[in-house]
Amino acid sequence: MSVTDEIRNRLQAAFDPTELDVVDDSESHRGHAGYQEGGESHFNVRIRSEAFTGQTRVARHRAVHKALGDIVPRIHALALDIDV
């Protein structure tokens, strides 16, 4: 399973989002630190879920990182856009 699919599956299971976009943006970082041939090193995630209601921005980010677990150390960059 690709890292993109792993991210999508874990976030779907953890937050039942109304919107979830996971974009592998690795190719735009070719030649930069952390780039891996074949991609799957840099990701942009946009997620909307009622599960984030009442949480601070930091709490939302921590919840996403917790849900992703062992995926986070395997990638170089993760940009998050999180809201209700």
Side-chain angles (χ1 to χ4, degrees):
M1 177 183 305
S2 72
V3 176
T4 304
D5 289 338
E6 285 184 77
I7 292 171
R8 185 176 294 111
N9 290 345
R10 289 190 191 188
L11 294 178
Q12 185 67 45
F15 303 108
D16 190 28
T18 55
E19 181 181 342
L20 177 60
D21 295 313
V22 180
V23 177
D24 180 352
D25 191 37
S26 303
E27 192 55 37
S28 67
H29 296 273
R30 182 178 286 275
H32 298 156
Y35 175 80
Q36 299 171 22
E37 195 61 45
E40 299 208 314
S41 60
H42 296 72
F43 291 90
N44 294 319
V45 173
R46 178 180 169 92
I47 184 169
R48 302 292 181 262
S49 173
E50 293 297 321
F52 300 122
T53 301
Q55 292 184 356
T56 65
R57 181 174 180 262
V58 171
R60 292 173 184 184
H61 280 251
R62 285 181 179 154
V64 167
H65 279 254
K66 184 178 179 182
L68 295 179
D70 67 327
I71 293 173
V72 176
R74 295 176 10 215
I75 61 177
H76 181 73
L78 177 64
L80 298 173
D81 178 358
I82 307 169
D83 209 344
V84 177

Coordinates of all heavy atoms in Angstrom, one line a residue:
M1 N 0.9 -1.2 0.0 CA 0.0 0.0 0.0 C 0.9 1.2 0.0 O 1.9 1.3 0.7 CB -0.9 0.0 1.2 CG -1.8 1.2 1.4 SD -2.8 1.3 2.8 CE -3.7 -0.2 2.8
S2 N 0.5 2.2 -0.8 CA 1.3 3.5 -0.8 C 1.2 4.3 0.5 O 0.2 4.1 1.2 CB 0.9 4.3 -2.0 OG -0.4 4.9 -1.8
V3 N 2.1 5.1 0.7 CA 2.0 6.0 1.9 C 0.8 6.9 1.8 O 0.1 7.2 2.8 CB 3.3 6.8 2.1 CG1 3.2 7.8 3.2 CG2 4.5 5.9 2.3
T4 N 0.5 7.4 0.6 CA -0.7 8.2 0.4 C -1.9 7.5 0.8 O -2.8 8.1 1.5 CB -0.8 8.6 -1.1 OG1 0.4 9.3 -1.6 CG2 -2.0 9.5 -1.4
D5 N -2.0 6.2 0.4 CA -3.2 5.4 0.8 C -3.2 5.2 2.3 O -4.3 5.2 2.9 CB -3.2 4.1 0.1 CG -3.6 4.3 -1.4 OD1 -4.2 5.3 -1.8 OD2 -3.2 3.4 -2.2
E6 N -2.1 4.9 2.9 CA -2.0 4.7 4.3 C -2.5 6.0 5.1 O -3.3 5.8 6.1 CB -0.6 4.4 4.8 CG -0.1 3.0 4.5 CD 1.3 2.8 5.1 OE1 1.4 2.6 6.3 OE2 2.2 2.8 4.3
I7 N -2.0 7.1 4.7 CA -2.5 8.4 5.3 C -4.0 8.5 5.2 O -4.7 8.8 6.2 CB -1.7 9.6 4.7 CG1 -0.2 9.6 5.1 CG2 -2.3 10.9 5.1 CD1 0.6 10.6 4.3
R8 N -4.5 8.4 4.0 CA -5.9 8.5 3.7 C -6.7 7.6 4.6 O -7.7 8.0 5.2 CB -6.2 8.3 2.2 CG -7.7 8.6 1.9 CD -7.9 8.5 0.4 NE -7.2 9.5 -0.4 CZ -6.2 9.3 -1.2 NH1 -5.7 8.1 -1.4 NH2 -5.6 10.3 -1.8
N9 N -6.3 6.3 4.6 CA -7.1 5.3 5.4 C -7.1 5.6 6.9 O -8.1 5.5 7.5 CB -6.5 3.9 5.1 CG -6.8 3.4 3.7 OD1 -7.6 3.9 3.0 ND2 -6.0 2.4 3.3
R10 N -5.9 6.0 7.4 CA -5.9 6.2 8.8 C -6.7 7.5 9.2 O -7.4 7.5 10.3 CB -4.4 6.4 9.3 CG -3.7 5.1 9.3 CD -2.3 5.2 9.9 NE -1.5 4.0 9.7 CZ -0.4 3.8 10.2 NH1 0.1 4.6 11.1 NH2 0.3 2.7 10.0
L11 N -6.6 8.5 8.4 CA -7.4 9.7 8.7 C -8.9 9.5 8.6 O -9.7 10.0 9.4 CB -6.9 10.9 7.9 CG -5.5 11.3 8.2 CD1 -5.1 12.5 7.2 CD2 -5.3 11.7 9.6
Q12 N -9.2 8.7 7.6 CA -10.7 8.4 7.4 C -11.2 7.6 8.6 O -12.3 7.9 9.1 CB -10.8 7.5 6.1 CG -12.3 7.2 5.7 CD -13.0 8.5 5.3 OE1 -12.6 9.3 4.6 NE2 -14.2 8.6 5.8
A13 N -10.4 6.6 9.0 CA -10.9 5.8 10.2 C -10.9 6.6 11.5 O -11.8 6.4 12.3 CB -9.9 4.6 10.3
A14 N -10.0 7.5 11.7 CA -9.9 8.2 12.9 C -10.9 9.4 13.0 O -11.4 9.7 14.1 CB -8.5 8.8 13.1
F15 N -11.2 10.0 11.9 CA -12.0 11.3 12.0 C -13.3 11.3 11.2 O -14.0 12.3 11.3 CB -11.1 12.5 11.6 CG -9.8 12.6 12.4 CD1 -8.6 12.3 11.9 CD2 -9.9 13.0 13.7 CE1 -7.4 12.4 12.6 CE2 -8.8 13.1 14.5 CZ -7.5 12.8 14.0
D16 N -13.5 10.3 10.4 CA -14.7 10.3 9.5 C -14.9 11.7 8.9 O -16.0 12.3 9.1 CB -15.9 9.9 10.4 CG -17.2 9.6 9.5 OD1 -17.0 9.2 8.3 OD2 -18.3 9.8 10.0
P17 N -14.0 12.1 8.1 CA -14.0 13.5 7.6 C -15.1 13.7 6.6 O -15.5 12.8 5.8 CB -12.6 13.7 7.0 CG -12.2 12.4 6.7 CD -12.8 11.4 7.7
T18 N -15.6 15.0 6.5 CA -16.5 15.4 5.5 C -15.7 15.8 4.2 O -16.3 15.8 3.1 CB -17.3 16.6 5.9 OG1 -16.4 17.7 6.3 CG2 -18.2 16.2 7.1
E19 N -14.4 16.1 4.4 CA -13.5 16.4 3.3 C -12.2 15.9 3.6 O -11.7 16.1 4.7 CB -13.5 17.9 3.0 CG -12.6 18.3 1.9 CD -12.5 19.8 1.7 OE1 -13.4 20.5 2.2 OE2 -11.6 20.2 1.0
L20 N -11.5 15.2 2.7 CA -10.2 14.7 2.9 C -9.4 14.6 1.6 O -9.8 13.9 0.7 CB -10.2 13.3 3.5 CG -8.8 12.6 3.8 CD1 -8.0 13.5 4.7 CD2 -9.0 11.2 4.3
D21 N -8.4 15.4 1.5 CA -7.5 15.4 0.3 C -6.1 15.2 0.8 O -5.6 15.9 1.6 CB -7.5 16.8 -0.4 CG -8.9 17.1 -1.0 OD1 -9.5 16.2 -1.7 OD2 -9.4 18.2 -0.8
V22 N -5.5 14.1 0.2 CA -4.1 13.8 0.5 C -3.3 13.9 -0.8 O -3.6 13.1 -1.7 CB -4.0 12.4 1.1 CG1 -2.5 12.1 1.4 CG2 -4.8 12.3 2.4
V23 N -2.4 14.8 -0.9 CA -1.6 15.1 -2.1 C -0.1 14.8 -1.8 O 0.5 15.4 -0.9 CB -1.8 16.5 -2.6 CG1 -1.0 16.8 -3.8 CG2 -3.3 16.8 -2.8
D24 N 0.4 13.9 -2.7 CA 1.9 13.6 -2.6 C 2.5 14.7 -3.5 O 2.4 14.8 -4.7 CB 2.2 12.3 -3.2 CG 3.6 11.9 -3.2 OD1 4.5 12.8 -2.9 OD2 4.0 10.8 -3.6
D25 N 3.2 15.7 -2.8 CA 3.8 16.8 -3.4 C 5.3 16.7 -3.5 O 6.0 17.6 -3.7 CB 3.5 18.1 -2.5 CG 3.8 19.4 -3.2 OD1 3.6 19.5 -4.4 OD2 4.3 20.3 -2.5
S26 N 5.8 15.4 -3.5 CA 7.2 15.2 -3.5 C 7.9 15.7 -4.7 O 9.0 16.2 -4.6 CB 7.4 13.6 -3.3 OG 6.8 13.2 -2.1
E27 N 7.3 15.5 -5.9 CA 8.0 15.8 -7.1 C 8.4 17.3 -7.1 O 9.4 17.7 -7.7 CB 7.2 15.5 -8.3 CG 7.9 15.5 -9.6 CD 9.2 14.7 -9.7 OE1 9.2 13.6 -9.1 OE2 10.2 15.1 -10.3
S28 N 7.6 18.2 -6.5 CA 8.0 19.6 -6.5 C 9.1 19.9 -5.6 O 9.6 21.1 -5.6 CB 6.7 20.5 -6.2 OG 6.4 20.3 -4.8
H29 N 9.6 18.9 -4.9 CA 10.8 19.1 -4.0 C 12.0 18.4 -4.5 O 13.0 18.2 -3.7 CB 10.4 18.6 -2.6 CG 9.3 19.4 -2.0 ND1 9.5 20.6 -1.3 CD2 7.9 19.2 -2.0 CE1 8.4 21.1 -0.9 NE2 7.4 20.3 -1.3
R30 N 12.0 17.9 -5.7 CA 13.1 17.2 -6.3 C 14.4 18.1 -6.1 O 14.4 19.3 -6.4 CB 12.9 16.9 -7.8 CG 14.0 16.2 -8.4 CD 13.7 15.9 -9.9 NE 12.7 14.8 -10.0 CZ 13.0 13.5 -10.0 NH1 14.3 13.1 -9.8 NH2 12.1 12.6 -10.1
G31 N 15.4 17.5 -5.6 CA 16.7 18.2 -5.4 C 16.8 18.9 -4.1 O 17.8 19.5 -3.7
H32 N 15.7 18.9 -3.3 CA 15.7 19.6 -2.0 C 15.9 18.5 -0.9 O 15.8 17.3 -1.2 CB 14.4 20.3 -1.7 CG 14.1 21.4 -2.7 ND1 12.9 21.9 -3.0 CD2 15.0 22.1 -3.5 CE1 12.9 22.8 -3.9 NE2 14.2 23.0 -4.2
A33 N 16.2 19.0 0.3 CA 16.4 18.0 1.4 C 15.2 17.1 1.6 O 14.0 17.6 1.5 CB 16.6 18.9 2.7
G34 N 15.4 15.9 1.9 CA 14.4 14.9 2.2 C 13.7 14.3 1.0 O 12.9 13.4 1.1
Y35 N 14.0 14.8 -0.2 CA 13.4 14.2 -1.4 C 13.9 12.7 -1.6 O 15.0 12.4 -1.4 CB 13.7 15.0 -2.7 CG 13.2 14.3 -3.9 CD1 11.9 14.5 -4.3 CD2 14.0 13.5 -4.7 CE1 11.4 13.8 -5.4 CE2 13.5 12.9 -5.8 CZ 12.2 13.0 -6.2 OH 11.7 12.4 -7.3
Q36 N 12.9 11.9 -1.9 CA 13.3 10.5 -2.2 C 12.8 10.1 -3.6 O 11.7 10.5 -4.0 CB 12.5 9.6 -1.2 CG 12.8 9.8 0.2 CD 11.8 9.0 1.1 OE1 11.2 8.0 0.7 NE2 11.7 9.5 2.3
E37 N 13.7 9.5 -4.3 CA 13.3 9.0 -5.7 C 12.1 8.1 -5.5 O 12.0 7.3 -4.7 CB 14.5 8.2 -6.3 CG 14.3 8.0 -7.8 CD 14.3 9.3 -8.6 OE1 15.1 10.2 -8.3 OE2 13.5 9.5 -9.4
G38 N 11.1 8.4 -6.4 CA 9.9 7.7 -6.3 C 8.8 8.4 -5.5 O 7.6 7.9 -5.5
G39 N 9.1 9.5 -4.9 CA 8.2 10.3 -4.2 C 7.8 9.7 -2.8 O 8.6 9.0 -2.2
E40 N 6.7 10.1 -2.3 CA 6.1 9.7 -1.0 C 7.0 10.2 0.1 O 7.2 9.5 1.1 CB 5.9 8.2 -0.9 CG 4.8 7.8 -2.0 CD 4.1 6.6 -1.6 OE1 4.7 5.6 -1.2 OE2 2.8 6.6 -1.8
S41 N 7.5 11.5 0.0 CA 8.3 12.1 1.1 C 7.7 13.4 1.6 O 8.0 13.8 2.7 CB 9.7 12.3 0.6 OG 9.7 13.2 -0.5
H42 N 6.9 14.0 0.7 CA 6.3 15.3 1.0 C 4.8 15.3 0.8 O 4.4 15.0 -0.4 CB 6.9 16.5 0.2 CG 8.4 16.7 0.4 ND1 9.3 15.8 0.0 CD2 9.0 17.7 1.0 CE1 10.5 16.3 0.4 NE2 10.4 17.4 1.0
F43 N 4.0 15.6 1.8 CA 2.5 15.5 1.6 C 1.8 16.8 2.1 O 2.3 17.5 3.0 CB 2.0 14.4 2.4 CG 2.4 13.0 1.9 CD1 3.6 12.4 2.3 CD2 1.7 12.4 0.9 CE1 4.0 11.2 1.8 CE2 2.1 11.2 0.4 CZ 3.2 10.6 0.9
N44 N 0.7 17.1 1.4 CA -0.2 18.1 1.8 C -1.5 17.5 2.1 O -2.0 16.7 1.3 CB -0.4 19.2 0.6 CG 0.8 19.9 0.3 OD1 1.5 20.4 1.2 ND2 1.1 20.1 -1.0
V45 N -2.1 17.7 3.3 CA -3.3 17.1 3.7 C -4.3 18.2 4.0 O -4.0 19.1 4.8 CB -3.1 16.2 4.9 CG1 -4.5 15.7 5.4 CG2 -2.2 15.0 4.5
R46 N -5.5 18.1 3.5 CA -6.6 19.0 3.8 C -7.7 18.1 4.4 O -8.1 17.2 3.7 CB -7.1 19.8 2.6 CG -8.3 20.7 2.8 CD -8.7 21.4 1.5 NE -10.0 22.0 1.7 CZ -10.1 23.3 2.1 NH1 -9.1 24.0 2.3 NH2 -11.3 23.8 2.2
I47 N -8.1 18.4 5.6 CA -9.1 17.6 6.3 C -10.1 18.4 7.0 O -9.8 19.4 7.6 CB -8.5 16.5 7.2 CG1 -9.5 15.6 7.8 CG2 -7.6 17.2 8.3 CD1 -8.9 14.4 8.6
R48 N -11.4 18.1 6.9 CA -12.5 18.7 7.5 C -13.3 17.6 8.3 O -13.7 16.7 7.7 CB -13.4 19.5 6.6 CG -12.7 20.5 5.7 CD -12.3 21.7 6.6 NE -11.6 22.7 5.8 CZ -10.3 22.9 5.7 NH1 -9.5 22.0 6.2 NH2 -9.8 23.9 5.0
S49 N -13.5 17.8 9.6 CA -14.2 16.9 10.4 C -14.8 17.5 11.6 O -14.2 18.3 12.2 CB -13.3 15.7 10.8 OG -14.0 14.8 11.7
E50 N -16.0 17.1 11.9 CA -16.7 17.5 13.1 C -15.9 17.1 14.4 O -16.1 17.6 15.5 CB -18.1 17.0 13.2 CG -19.1 17.5 12.2 CD -19.3 19.0 12.3 OE1 -19.4 19.5 13.4 OE2 -19.3 19.7 11.3
A51 N -15.1 16.1 14.2 CA -14.3 15.6 15.4 C -13.3 16.7 15.9 O -12.9 16.6 17.0 CB -13.4 14.4 14.9
F52 N -13.1 17.7 15.1 CA -12.2 18.8 15.5 C -12.9 19.9 16.2 O -12.2 20.9 16.7 CB -11.4 19.3 14.3 CG -10.5 18.3 13.7 CD1 -10.7 18.0 12.3 CD2 -9.5 17.6 14.4 CE1 -9.9 17.0 11.7 CE2 -8.8 16.6 13.8 CZ -8.9 16.3 12.4
T53 N -14.2 19.8 16.4 CA -15.0 20.9 17.0 C -14.5 21.1 18.4 O -14.3 20.2 19.2 CB -16.5 20.5 17.0 OG1 -16.9 20.3 15.7 CG2 -17.3 21.6 17.7
G54 N -14.2 22.4 18.7 CA -13.8 22.8 20.0 C -12.3 22.6 20.3 O -11.8 23.0 21.4
Q55 N -11.6 22.1 19.4 CA -10.1 21.9 19.6 C -9.3 23.0 19.1 O -9.7 23.7 18.1 CB -9.6 20.6 18.9 CG -10.2 19.3 19.4 CD -9.6 18.1 18.7 OE1 -8.8 18.2 17.8 NE2 -9.9 16.9 19.2
T56 N -8.2 23.3 19.8 CA -7.3 24.4 19.3 C -6.6 23.8 18.1 O -6.6 22.6 17.8 CB -6.3 24.7 20.4 OG1 -5.4 23.6 20.6 CG2 -6.9 25.1 21.7
R57 N -5.9 24.7 17.4 CA -5.1 24.4 16.2 C -4.0 23.3 16.6 O -3.8 22.4 15.9 CB -4.4 25.6 15.7 CG -3.6 25.4 14.4 CD -3.1 26.7 13.8 NE -2.3 26.5 12.7 CZ -1.0 26.5 12.6 NH1 -0.3 26.7 13.8 NH2 -0.4 26.3 11.5
V58 N -3.4 23.6 17.7 CA -2.3 22.6 18.2 C -3.0 21.3 18.5 O -2.4 20.2 18.1 CB -1.6 23.2 19.4 CG1 -0.7 22.2 20.0 CG2 -0.8 24.4 19.0
A59 N -4.1 21.2 19.2 CA -4.7 20.0 19.5 C -5.1 19.2 18.2 O -5.0 18.0 18.2 CB -6.0 20.2 20.4
R60 N -5.6 19.9 17.2 CA -6.0 19.3 15.9 C -4.7 18.6 15.3 O -4.8 17.5 14.8 CB -6.6 20.3 15.0 CG -7.9 20.8 15.5 CD -8.4 21.9 14.6 NE -9.7 22.4 15.1 CZ -10.4 23.4 14.5 NH1 -10.0 23.9 13.4 NH2 -11.5 23.8 15.1
H61 N -3.6 19.4 15.3 CA -2.4 18.8 14.7 C -1.9 17.6 15.5 O -1.5 16.6 14.9 CB -1.3 19.9 14.6 CG -1.5 20.9 13.5 ND1 -0.7 20.9 12.4 CD2 -2.5 21.8 13.2 CE1 -1.1 21.8 11.5 NE2 -2.2 22.4 12.0
R62 N -2.0 17.7 16.8 CA -1.6 16.6 17.6 C -2.4 15.3 17.3 O -1.9 14.2 17.3 CB -1.6 16.9 19.1 CG -0.5 17.8 19.5 CD -0.5 18.1 21.0 NE 0.6 19.0 21.4 CZ 0.6 19.8 22.4 NH1 -0.5 19.9 23.1 NH2 1.7 20.5 22.7
A63 N -3.7 15.5 17.2 CA -4.6 14.4 16.9 C -4.3 13.8 15.6 O -4.3 12.5 15.5 CB -6.1 14.9 16.9
V64 N -4.0 14.6 14.6 CA -3.7 14.0 13.2 C -2.4 13.3 13.3 O -2.3 12.1 12.8 CB -3.6 15.1 12.2 CG1 -3.0 14.6 10.9 CG2 -5.0 15.6 11.9
H65 N -1.4 13.8 14.0 CA -0.1 13.1 14.1 C -0.3 11.8 14.9 O 0.4 10.8 14.5 CB 0.9 14.0 14.8 CG 1.6 15.0 13.9 ND1 2.9 14.9 13.4 CD2 1.1 16.1 13.3 CE1 3.2 15.9 12.6 NE2 2.1 16.7 12.5
K66 N -1.1 11.8 15.9 CA -1.3 10.6 16.7 C -2.0 9.5 15.8 O -1.6 8.4 15.8 CB -2.2 10.9 17.9 CG -2.4 9.7 18.7 CD -3.3 10.0 20.0 CE -3.5 8.8 20.8 NZ -4.3 9.0 22.0
A67 N -3.0 10.0 15.0 CA -3.7 9.0 14.1 C -2.7 8.4 13.0 O -2.9 7.3 12.7 CB -4.8 9.7 13.4
L68 N -1.8 9.2 12.6 CA -0.8 8.8 11.6 C 0.3 7.9 12.2 O 0.9 7.1 11.5 CB -0.2 9.9 10.8 CG -1.2 10.7 10.0 CD1 -0.5 11.9 9.3 CD2 -1.9 9.9 9.0
G69 N 0.5 8.1 13.5 CA 1.5 7.2 14.2 C 2.8 7.0 13.5 O 3.5 8.0 13.2
D70 N 3.2 5.8 13.1 CA 4.5 5.5 12.6 C 4.7 6.0 11.2 O 5.8 5.8 10.7 CB 4.7 3.9 12.6 CG 3.8 3.2 11.7 OD1 2.6 3.6 11.5 OD2 4.2 2.1 11.2
I71 N 3.7 6.5 10.6 CA 3.9 7.1 9.2 C 4.7 8.4 9.3 O 5.6 8.6 8.5 CB 2.6 7.4 8.5 CG1 1.8 6.1 8.2 CG2 2.8 8.2 7.3 CD1 0.4 6.3 7.7
V72 N 4.5 9.2 10.3 CA 5.2 10.5 10.4 C 6.7 10.4 10.4 O 7.3 11.2 9.6 CB 4.7 11.3 11.7 CG1 5.4 12.6 11.8 CG2 3.2 11.5 11.6
P73 N 7.3 9.5 11.1 CA 8.8 9.5 11.0 C 9.3 9.0 9.6 O 10.5 9.2 9.3 CB 9.2 8.5 12.1 CG 8.0 8.3 13.0 CD 6.8 8.7 12.2
R74 N 8.5 8.3 8.9 CA 8.9 7.8 7.6 C 8.8 8.8 6.4 O 9.3 8.6 5.3 CB 8.0 6.6 7.2 CG 8.2 5.5 8.1 CD 7.2 4.3 7.9 NE 6.4 4.3 6.7 CZ 5.2 3.8 6.6 NH1 4.6 3.3 7.7 NH2 4.6 3.7 5.5
I75 N 8.3 10.0 6.7 CA 8.2 11.0 5.6 C 9.0 12.3 6.1 O 9.3 12.4 7.2 CB 6.7 11.4 5.3 CG1 6.0 12.0 6.5 CG2 6.0 10.2 4.8 CD1 4.6 12.4 6.3
H76 N 9.2 13.1 5.1 CA 10.1 14.3 5.4 C 9.2 15.5 5.7 O 9.6 16.3 6.6 CB 10.9 14.6 4.2 CG 11.8 15.8 4.4 ND1 12.9 15.8 5.2 CD2 11.7 17.1 3.9 CE1 13.5 17.0 5.2 NE2 12.8 17.8 4.4
A77 N 8.1 15.7 5.1 CA 7.3 16.9 5.3 C 5.8 16.6 5.2 O 5.4 15.8 4.4 CB 7.6 18.0 4.2
L78 N 5.0 17.2 6.1 CA 3.6 17.0 6.2 C 3.0 18.4 6.4 O 3.1 18.9 7.5 CB 3.2 16.1 7.3 CG 1.8 15.8 7.5 CD1 1.1 15.1 6.3 CD2 1.6 14.9 8.7
A79 N 2.3 19.0 5.4 CA 1.6 20.2 5.6 C 0.1 19.9 5.8 O -0.5 19.2 5.1 CB 1.7 21.1 4.3
L80 N -0.4 20.5 6.9 CA -1.8 20.2 7.3 C -2.7 21.4 7.3 O -2.3 22.5 7.8 CB -1.8 19.7 8.8 CG -1.0 18.3 9.0 CD1 -1.0 18.0 10.5 CD2 -1.7 17.2 8.2
D81 N -3.8 21.2 6.7 CA -4.9 22.3 6.7 C -6.1 21.6 7.3 O -6.7 20.7 6.7 CB -5.2 22.7 5.2 CG -6.3 23.7 5.1 OD1 -6.9 24.1 6.1 OD2 -6.6 24.1 4.0
I82 N -6.3 21.9 8.6 CA -7.3 21.2 9.4 C -8.4 22.1 9.9 O -8.1 23.2 10.4 CB -6.7 20.6 10.7 CG1 -5.5 19.7 10.3 CG2 -7.7 19.7 11.4 CD1 -4.6 19.3 11.5
D83 N -9.7 21.7 9.7 CA -10.8 22.6 10.2 C -12.0 21.7 10.4 O -12.0 20.5 10.1 CB -11.1 23.7 9.2 CG -11.7 24.9 9.9 OD1 -12.1 24.8 11.0 OD2 -11.7 26.0 9.2
V84 N -13.0 22.3 11.0 CA -14.3 21.6 11.2 C -15.1 21.5 9.9 O -15.1 22.3 9.1 CB -15.1 22.3 12.3 CG1 -16.5 21.7 12.5 CG2 -14.3 22.4 13.6

